[in-house]
């Protein structure tokens, strides 16, 4: 296991930021840590990188304990903090040299990480002259300098424009081919774009832990339709693929179909053939987006 978290609780004063959090990440996985602002993502990441200590519970990275083996933990991890403090007056290479010194790694790594993170065209510039996308590349290069097995990236694409976002996501995916990646985000599309698995956190508690392949496998589809008149449930069940009908209120029905094919046009034809008018017709998604909304609604 690359990461093992067991019943971690973190209090700031009397405020609970994490409550009894447990999960583990296997070697080679790319896991998205998804949750709204204030959910506890950064707190969890700071505990894993041994920057702060939990109030209770245990965590290990590469089998090293985050409290008793801080040094080994930090050697195992490449960490990109949420507000990555970069030295704007330093040249890219200078900064990476500085980072290489801290980790006591061979200077030959500097050119390697520059190539690996696509920094070559901007390498002669000062960090302050770089776009946000390139600054994130510098942050990633610094996180990679000691060639860690595990990357912990705290909201790595926040504040990037759409093109930079696509580039950085691609880079993270590429890094994920050889490393374990644990990245936080409040954007579910990010998880869909990069990750194999999602762990959803809300108000300091884990509310879901699923492989995306599991989520996408869901064959059911729910269509919500409002007619202008009452219809018998049994009547609606005459449409193909219907497995369940619920009359949620008045003339609104939730119809579950056992197919992924968009059934809205069938509902429309059905209404037309039976002289009903449709006032509303929507698909209820059972995918990550609706799961996230459901689980993090306050
Ligand atoms: P996220 O990264 O998911 O947005 P954080 O881990 O930063 O969430 O914060 C979780 C909760 O802990 C929030 O309510 C936040 O206000 C609180 N918090 C974070 N850091 C501190 C701190 N140093 N002192 C007090 N409260 C904090
Ligand atoms: Mg955060």
């Amino acid at each position: 296991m690359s990461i093992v978290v067991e019943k971690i609780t973190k209090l700031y004063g009397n405020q609970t930021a994490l409550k009894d959090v447990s999960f583990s990440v296997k070697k080679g996985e790319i896991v998205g840590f998804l949750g709204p602002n204030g959910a506890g993502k950064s707190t969890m990441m700071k505990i894993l990188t041994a920057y702060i200590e939990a109030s209770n519970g245990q965590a290990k990275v590469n089998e090293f304990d985050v409290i008793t083996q801080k040094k080994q933990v930090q050697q195992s991890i490449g960490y990109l903090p949420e507000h990555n403090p970069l030295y704007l007056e330093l040249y890219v290479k200078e900064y990476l040299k500085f980072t290489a010194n801290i980790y006591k790694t061979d200077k030959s790594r500097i050119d390697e990480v520059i190539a690996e993170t696509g920094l070559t065209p901007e390498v002669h510039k000062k960090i302050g002259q770089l776009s946000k996308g390139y600054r994130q590349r510098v942050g990633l290069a610094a996180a990679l300098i000691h060639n860690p097995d595990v990357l912990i990236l705290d909201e790595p694409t926040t504040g990037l424009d759409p093109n930079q976002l696509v580039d950085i996501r691609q880079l993270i995916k590429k890094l994920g081919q050889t490393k374990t990646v644990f990245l936080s985000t409040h954007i579910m599309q990010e998880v869909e774009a990069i990750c194999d698995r999602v762990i959803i956190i809300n108000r300091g508690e884990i509310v879901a832990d699923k492989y995306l392949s599991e989520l996408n496998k869901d064959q059911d589809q729910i269509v919500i339709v409002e007619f202008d008149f009452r219809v018998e449930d049994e009547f609606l069940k005459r449409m193909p693929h219907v497995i369940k009908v619920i009359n949620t209120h008045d003339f609104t029905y939730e119809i579950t179909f056992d197919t992924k094919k968009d059934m809205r046009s069938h509902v429309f034809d059905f209404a037309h053939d039976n002289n009903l008018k449709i006032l509303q017709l929507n698909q209820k998604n059972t995918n990550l987006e609706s799961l996230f909304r459901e689980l993090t609604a306050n």
Side-chain angles (χ1 to χ4, degrees):
M1 286 288 171
S2 288
I3 300 173
V4 178
V5 173
E6 277 173 359
K7 294 182 179 267
I8 288 275
T9 292
K10 175 68 185 177
L11 302 169
Y12 290 114
N14 55 10
Q15 191 198 345
T16 308
L18 295 171
K19 193 177 163 197
D20 240 357
V21 170
S22 299
F23 64 88
S24 52
V25 177
K26 291 195 200 106
K27 194 170 161 63
E29 280 188 324
I30 305 185
V31 177
F33 196 37
L34 176 67
N37 287 327
K41 303 181 294 295
S42 297
T43 300
M44 188 68 243
M45 292 184 146
K46 285 176 201 162
I47 291 170
L48 284 175
T49 50
Y51 279 86
I52 61 171
E53 289 187 7
S55 311
N56 240 312
Q58 277 204 341
K60 285 183 176 177
V61 177
N62 269 351
E63 314 296 327
F64 297 120
D65 187 279
V66 295
I67 290 174
T68 60
Q69 298 173 293
K70 280 197 170 73
K71 269 240 153 64
Q72 291 95 322
V73 165
Q74 287 178 342
Q75 281 292 344
S76 306
I77 283 180
Y79 175 39
L80 183 67
E82 188 171 22
H83 305 290
N84 192 23
L86 292 170
Y87 298 89
L88 304 183
E89 280 306 309
L90 291 189
Y91 288 94
V92 172
K93 255 195 169 163
E94 264 182 304
Y95 176 66
L96 294 174
K97 216 177 269 175
F98 167 74
T99 317
N101 273 334
I102 294 175
Y103 284 97
K104 299 185 175 60
T105 48
D106 199 290
K107 296 283 178 293
S108 64
R109 276 297 289 161
I110 297 171
D111 287 331
E112 282 175 27
V113 294
I114 285 171
E116 211 175 342
T117 54
L119 273 170
T120 311
E122 303 287 277
V123 78
H124 57 280
K125 290 188 183 167
K126 281 187 178 179
I127 293 172
Q129 296 170 322
L130 300 178
S131 67
K132 179 90 179 33
Y134 273 91
R135 286 184 201 188
Q136 278 306 69
R137 286 174 197 264
V138 174
L140 283 167
L144 289 165
I145 200 95
H146 54 300
N147 202 14
D149 293 338
V150 182
L151 286 179
I152 296 196
L153 313 176
D154 198 355
E155 308 228 12
T157 64
T158 298
L160 300 183
D161 74 32
N163 291 327
Q164 296 167 344
L165 193 107
V166 170
D167 291 345
I168 295 293
R169 282 180 185 169
Q170 244 170 18
L171 176 57
I172 295 170
K173 240 190 139 141
K174 194 185 85 187
L175 296 172
Q177 291 171 356
T178 54
K179 299 190 184 296
T180 305
V181 178
F182 185 58
L183 74 94
S184 74
T185 177
H186 60 273
I187 308 156
M188 51 223 151
Q189 287 82 357
E190 181 124 309
V191 174
E192 283 185 314
I194 309 178
C195 304
D196 310 321
R197 182 177 148 207
V198 62
I199 296 176
I200 304 180
I201 182 167
N202 189 42
R203 298 175 169 215
E205 293 186 78
I206 304 292
V207 290
D209 182 346
K210 285 188 186 297
Y211 285 94
L212 292 203
S213 53
E214 233 175 279
L215 281 173
N216 298 336
K217 198 173 65 188
D218 204 340
Q219 291 291 321
D220 290 354
Q221 167 190 190
I222 296 172
V223 172
I224 299 168
V225 56
E226 185 185 356
F227 298 111
D228 65 339
F229 206 74
R230 179 154 179 77
V231 192
E232 290 302 320
D233 294 2
E234 290 308 313
F235 197 54
L236 289 170
K237 282 185 182 161
R238 288 183 199 168
M239 274 185 284
H241 294 292
V242 175
I243 50 173
K244 196 163 83 183
V245 175
I246 304 169
N247 182 201
T248 50
H249 58 270
D250 301 334
F251 308 144
T252 302
Y253 300 82
E254 237 185 63
I255 310 169
T256 306
F257 296 92
D258 64 356
T259 175
K260 266 187 159 174
K261 201 178 102 196
D262 191 343
M263 293 303 283
R264 283 175 299 182
S265 61
H266 285 267
V267 177
F268 192 85
D269 290 344
F270 173 88
H272 181 261
D273 294 347
N274 293 286
N275 290 320
L276 290 160
K277 283 202 175 67
I278 287 181
L279 304 179
Q280 252 200 85
L281 182 61
N282 289 304
Q283 236 177 354
K284 183 168 160 181
N285 289 321
T286 47
N287 62 11
L288 181 62
E289 176 159 353
S290 62
L291 180 72
F292 181 56
R293 286 193 200 291
E294 243 169 66
L295 294 175
T296 60
N298 289 312

